[in-house]
Amino acid sequence: MSNQETTKDGGRLPLTRSLEAKVLANYTGEAFQDGLRAADLIPTLAQLNSDQPNLLNALSEVGSECLDRDSLATLCWIDATFTCWENRATLAPEMQQLVNRCRPLAAAFALTDSRFFTPGGHGLHRLLDVFYDFARGWHSGLGNAGLKMLTTASDAVDRINDDFPSEARVDETRIFLEQKIHDHQTHLEKLDALLLQRELASLGNDATQQAAAWLINTAISQTALPESVAQFIASDWYASGVCIAQAQGFESPEWRTFMDTTQLLVDAVQPVNPNNGAELHRLYMAMQQISITLSKQLVSLQGDTVAIADAVGLIEYAMLRNLRGEDLALQHIDCVIGSVGESLPITSDDLKALNLLPGHWFLMQTPEQTVRLRFAGTLINNHFLLFMDPLGNRALRRSLVEFRSLMTSGEARCLEAQDSFCLAMTDAIELHQHSKIHSPPQSEPQFSNAESRSTPLDQPNPLGDQCVANTHDAPSGNKAPEQRPAPLQTPKKPAPRFNESHYDSDAIVKLQIPMGTWLGFHDRDPPLMAKIVACDLDKNSYIFTNRDGIKIRELTVPQLVALIDRDMVDILERKTNFRESVSQLFQQQERLEPHTR
């Protein structure tokens, strides 16, 4: 393959030069001159237990820990690559277990085919990237359909390991999975329009009020208005808009006429040049039609002729003063209905900035569990975002402003990771180089075979541990072994934002936050102030409301602890040793679950 070729038909990742020289130069370590070489390792790799934490430990289990220099470096790099890939491309635990079964096959190809060191240059690279595309939306709560999808993935892994190692079998399996992905995507794309149409028709009262407010705000935001007109729009006019939207829908001619009249109201109270005949004529014509137009569209006041007359008179008076050139005492009002943050127009660029393109997958932490969602599209001028599950069912509806806050706080993130395995191949080397530069030199402890085999197999080692092979003492006739690679020191990671397992059921009791405590959240823009009004022991979560008692947020204990640990929560009303309780809980969770940190 030439360096101009790409890993997929989409042409996303240009092939780079081989990484082989960097792998052999960076992953140097204690190896045996006459240790097992590549050809001798292939049969052993084919029989390895995939449950082992890394290849070197697995080889040590079967007595094949004496490796030559190049083989040792290659296996260390394969282990590091799979670890980087797991961190980059988050899969559900069941799917991740299947991916780990591909590690010995990747090692076999790397030991026997120099093309494996060129990202995108080998069939297995492309298969693993395709496998991620196939599995990223899967989670364990999909019932029988999800079980069928998991079985398909498991069969694909079995197929590529049957003829070990065979790139032809790998390519055949990749084509099979690509067809499955294409069929599934085509099916979901057909459901997008139906789901959006059904959702638009069934918007509840709260959603309709929110959308109507946002659309009106978009028309009047950052516009100077007389105080009396602003109050009219925020009260009777807004209430009438909600009635029209509920009765006719946002796609109806009635709603479009209502928004046209809203713009007419705004334009009619903007100062006109008394010397400009065209402006004066336009204002005069607006005054002629405004009374009839308002009377028809003030549906919230239907039956109250006095109230309608008063409202129409208020607007006509403002327009008459404008026609006379009087000062209307205009005020710059960002938003007169709802939140200021929701009054700004939303464009396609706002969607792209959050990777909100139809078909993209997202991972989101809810009070109940971690869910995987597919973005289906938007409603009402990009105001609402609609998501479906892997089976095409409606899963979530949020305003873009709300979803942007979830992305900012880390409660949601995009799962799109193009060419993820190919990129992890390079990341593993760069991370290893970074660790050697920033870590002080240290002698590596020597481990006997008994010590190495006593390592718990259910606890994954750090990246550095994956680059340490356990060896027997060198035979007296051999040369002294070379120095093994220094353990790869990765930067300390924050507490994981996504945990598909639940915390202890009584963790909410241990946190001990009294009801009525006010908290300030800085993971929202603008910051959010909320009061704790209830705790749900079944969900292990807290419920927050605003000053009007309206529910505005629900957070699980892990989510709340994570926000506090990142200094994104202020305690506005302190009734107990809140932060001490949080600190104690967080330390206790560290002791109980060290592998999650």
Side-chain angles (χ1 to χ4, degrees), residues 128 184 186 236 273 358 368 395 402 439 446 463 490 532 552 556:
L128 292 175
H184 190 218
T186 301
D236 294 334
N273 185 346
E368 295 83 11
E402 291 173 330
S439 298
Q446 300 298 317
L463 271 175
T490 60
I532 300 174
I552 58 177
T556 63

Side-chain angles (χ1 to χ4, degrees), residues 478-548:
N478 292 344
K479 292 185 180 180
E482 300 174 12
Q483 181 63 35
R484 280 189 178 276
L488 180 58
Q489 302 294 327
T490 60
K492 184 178 181 181
K493 297 187 296 183
R497 294 175 179 173
F498 298 98
N499 185 359
E500 302 209 17
S501 61
H502 293 289
Y503 269 42
D504 186 358
S505 61
D506 64 348
I508 191 168
V509 179
K510 297 175 185 176
L511 198 53
Q512 295 179 345
I513 307 178
M515 298 302 101
T517 299
W518 283 93
L519 305 180
F521 293 96
H522 294 279
D523 61 322
R524 295 289 192 261
D525 186 18
L528 176 72
M529 186 173 69
K531 180 174 69 172
I532 300 174
V533 296
C535 62
D536 189 328
L537 294 177
D538 293 332
K539 296 181 181 179
N540 197 20
S541 64
Y542 285 101
I543 297 173
F544 299 85
T545 68
N546 60 15
R547 292 190 180 277
D548 297 324

Side-chain angles (χ1 to χ4, degrees), residues 35-321:
L36 290 175
R37 299 183 184 279
D40 303 320
L41 280 171
I42 302 306
T44 305
L45 288 170
Q47 302 300 322
L48 284 186
N49 184 349
S50 61
D51 292 333
Q52 299 289 346
N54 58 57
L55 290 170
L56 300 180
N57 279 5
L59 289 172
S60 177
E61 281 285 321
V62 297
S64 300
E65 65 268 34
C66 298
L67 309 177
D68 69 1
R69 177 190 178 102
D70 289 355
S71 298
L72 174 62
T74 299
L75 295 186
C76 286
W77 172 64
I78 291 295
D79 273 333
T81 296
F82 270 78
T83 300
C84 287
W85 187 40
E86 182 177 353
N87 293 334
R88 172 189 289 273
T90 305
L91 293 175
E94 295 85 349
M95 286 293 183
Q96 188 60 49
Q97 290 175 6
L98 294 178
V99 166
N100 290 337
R101 290 173 51 194
C102 300
R103 192 179 300 214
L105 181 62
F109 281 128
L111 290 170
T112 58
D113 191 341
S114 61
R115 291 183 301 120
F116 195 90
F117 291 93
T118 301
H122 194 275
L124 187 61
H125 302 164
R126 298 188 287 277
L127 171 62
L128 292 175
D129 283 335
V130 169
F131 188 93
Y132 176 74
D133 291 342
F134 175 80
R136 63 190 164 189
W138 187 91
H139 60 85
S140 59
L142 297 177
N144 291 333
L147 182 61
K148 182 178 179 180
M149 187 175 177
L150 182 64
T151 301
T152 299
S154 180
D155 291 344
V157 174
D158 289 340
R159 186 180 304 182
I160 62 176
N161 281 296
D162 284 344
D163 189 6
F164 190 99
S166 169
E167 189 173 2
R169 182 62 63 87
V170 167
D171 289 339
E172 172 189 312
T173 305
R174 173 180 57 81
I175 293 172
F176 169 76
L177 283 181
E178 285 178 337
Q179 185 60 48
K180 289 289 185 181
I181 293 172
H182 177 267
D183 293 344
H184 190 218
Q185 288 179 343
T186 301
H187 173 66
L188 294 181
E189 286 170 1
K190 290 180 179 178
L191 296 178
D192 284 341
L194 295 175
L195 186 63
L196 289 166
Q197 183 179 5
R198 186 164 60 246
E199 189 71 11
L200 185 62
S202 62
L203 284 177
N205 289 337
D206 290 343
T208 302
Q209 292 170 8
Q210 183 183 5
W214 178 81
L215 290 170
I216 294 174
N217 286 338
T218 301
I220 67 175
S221 63
Q222 301 179 3
T223 300
L225 296 172
E227 182 179 1
S228 58
V229 175
Q231 291 177 351
F232 165 73
I233 293 177
S235 55
D236 294 334
W237 189 246
Y238 164 63
S240 297
V242 171
C243 293
I244 293 173
Q246 289 174 336
Q248 308 296 335
F250 289 101
E251 301 299 324
S252 64
E254 289 81 2
W255 176 260
R256 288 193 291 271
T257 301
F258 175 83
M259 288 305 300
D260 290 341
T261 306
T262 303
Q263 190 62 53
L264 178 65
L265 283 173
V266 173
D267 294 340
V269 293
Q270 303 306 306
V272 296
N273 185 346
N275 298 320
N276 188 319
E279 290 184 3
L280 292 174
H281 177 72
R282 194 161 47 245
L283 178 58
Y284 178 76
M285 294 303 297
M287 293 178 65
Q288 297 301 312
Q289 68 181 74
I290 198 70
S291 59
I292 298 177
T293 301
L294 289 180
S295 298
K296 290 181 178 180
Q297 295 181 334
L298 278 170
V299 294
S300 64
L301 299 179
Q302 290 302 318
D304 190 342
T305 55
V306 175
I308 292 177
D310 289 343
V312 172
L314 180 149
I315 300 302
E316 288 179 334
Y317 178 65
M319 296 172 68
L320 181 60
R321 293 183 61 199

